[in-house]
Amino acid sequence: MANIKSAKKRILVNETKAARNKSIKSAVKTAIKKVDAAVVAKDKATADAALLGAISAIDKATSKGIYHKNTASRKVSRLTKAVNSIA
């Protein structure tokens, strides 16, 4: 355990940030799973609605520095391609 006051603070701040990042990543994964489930069920309307939510969640995570912009772009691209394959 750290003895220096600033090191103790860093530990606390890092735990807080890690919890926030984990929560946001979990929300993105859930949104992606909703899109995938709609694609498997071949439900175009639900897939489109879920896709909008997933893209929003991914973009928010990217703006907060959780995901790199290329990672976010790749995720959005793959989801969009999957939804478009339903038609």
Side-chain angles (χ1 to χ4, degrees), residues 22-34 53-54 56-62 66-67 75 79:
K22 188 174 182 180
S23 171
I24 293 170
K25 278 189 176 185
S26 178
V28 169
K29 288 178 187 175
T30 302
I32 290 172
K33 285 178 187 174
K34 286 182 183 176
S56 175
I58 292 169
D59 287 344
K60 285 178 185 174
T62 305
I66 311 299
Y67 287 119
K75 287 179 181 293
L79 287 174

Side-chain angles (χ1 to χ4, degrees), residues 27-81:
V28 169
K29 288 178 187 175
T30 302
I32 290 172
K33 285 178 187 174
K34 286 182 183 176
V35 175
D36 289 339
V39 168
V40 169
K42 297 196 182 297
D43 187 355
K44 182 74 170 164
T46 307
D48 285 333
L51 178 63
L52 287 176
I55 290 173
S56 175
I58 292 169
D59 287 344
K60 285 178 185 174
T62 305
S63 69
K64 292 175 182 175
I66 311 299
Y67 287 119
H68 189 272
K69 65 185 178 98
N70 291 354
T71 302
S73 181
R74 182 182 69 242
K75 287 179 181 293
V76 169
S77 176
R78 288 179 180 171
L79 287 174
T80 306
K81 186 177 176 184

Side-chain angles (χ1 to χ4, degrees), residues 11-22:
I11 291 170
L12 293 174
V13 170
N14 286 338
E15 285 175 355
T16 304
K17 286 184 177 182
R20 174 177 162 268
N21 292 349
K22 188 174 182 180

